[in-house]
Amino acid sequence: MEKNLEIVIGEQELRQRVRELGAEISRDYAGRSPILVSVLKGAFVFLADLVREISIPVAVDFMAITRYGAGRRGGAVRIEKDLDLAIAGRDVLVVEDIVDTGLTLGYLMKNLGARDPASLAVCTLLDRRARRLTKLPLRYVGFEVPDRFLVGYGLDHRELHRNLPHLAALPEEATAPGGP
Ligand code: PRP
């Protein structure tokens, strides 16, 4: 691993927490078969581990979205790849890697909610509340994390580091404009 990365959540801790979340979801949705909806790309590692800790039948589907206009924070959201499955009447669980401002998830909840699912809930591995701009109900949260730039376990910095098996923090200078 790069020497300037500091481990924030180790592999074992991640595995243990994902196992607990999988067990909780299996209990809560017993007798049903929810569709797990994931947003590309960051959640792919968490989703892959989570589904293998879930003991009830689940379907999996993906969306891709981009934020644009007036800076990423204030901008609008556009769907680049929509779900393949119809979710009307189905139990939908959105699986996210991280909720920051909550703008992405806020848009998604509104968009998915309009399709009349039987239920709609969220499972996020990480909750970075310090940056939240909009109130959102997060039913399952793996970890609350501090306001630092995190990489690994699916999260990237300029598309790199998604493959790290743990979560690490980048030093501030690395994320500054013009940084490495
Ligand atoms: C991350 C993450 C969420 C979003 C959260 O995706 O996967 O979708 O940001 O931020 P918000 O709460 O401020 O809206 P990112 O845009 O980094 O893309 P990626 O998943 O492809 O890395």
Side-chain angles (χ1 to χ4, degrees):
M1 182 172 84
E2 282 179 32
K3 63 178 183 313
N4 60 349
L5 291 178
E6 177 199 330
I7 296 182
V8 174
I9 305 175
E11 235 181 304
Q12 291 300 335
E13 210 181 333
L14 282 167
R15 188 170 304 138
Q16 177 56 31
R17 188 67 188 118
V18 172
R19 190 168 294 153
E20 288 168 7
L21 289 171
E24 217 179 311
I25 291 166
S26 305
R27 267 198 311 274
D28 293 352
Y29 287 89
R32 296 184 280 165
S33 53
I35 301 178
L36 305 191
V37 168
S38 190
V39 187
L40 296 168
K41 310 174 190 172
F44 81 102
V45 176
F46 175 44
L47 178 76
D49 283 349
L50 183 67
V51 289
R52 285 175 289 177
E53 298 294 347
I54 294 178
S55 56
I56 55 167
V58 295
V60 172
D61 207 348
F62 296 91
M63 283 179 91
I65 58 177
T66 38
R67 285 169 287 182
Y68 64 95
R72 264 163 50 107
R73 294 291 165 224
V77 178
R78 183 175 58 211
I79 295 179
E80 300 290 346
K81 184 224 169 284
D82 205 349
L83 296 174
D84 295 328
L85 304 173
I87 61 168
R90 301 287 305 270
D91 294 298
V92 173
L93 182 62
V94 176
V95 176
E96 263 288 21
D97 51 337
I98 188 162
V99 181
D100 250 334
T101 63
L103 295 177
T104 306
L105 194 57
Y107 168 81
L108 213 63
M109 296 298 275
K110 225 168 134 184
N111 183 289
L112 296 175
R115 304 184 198 194
D116 291 323
S119 69
L120 181 59
V122 179
C123 174
T124 183
L125 178 67
L126 308 174
D127 181 2
R128 189 153 49 193
R129 279 191 199 170
R131 298 201 198 170
R132 194 66 35 83
L133 295 177
T134 170
K135 208 169 145 36
L136 289 167
L138 304 178
R139 186 177 299 170
Y140 307 95
V141 174
F143 302 91
E144 280 180 36
V145 286
D147 192 6
R148 301 181 67 185
F149 198 106
L150 300 174
V151 295
Y153 203 71
L155 282 75
D156 74 306
H157 175 236
R158 299 183 179 172
E159 293 301 329
L160 296 178
H161 306 308
R162 293 193 197 272
N163 56 315
L164 291 175
H166 48 254
L167 270 158
L170 278 184
E172 299 229 339
E173 61 272 19
T175 60

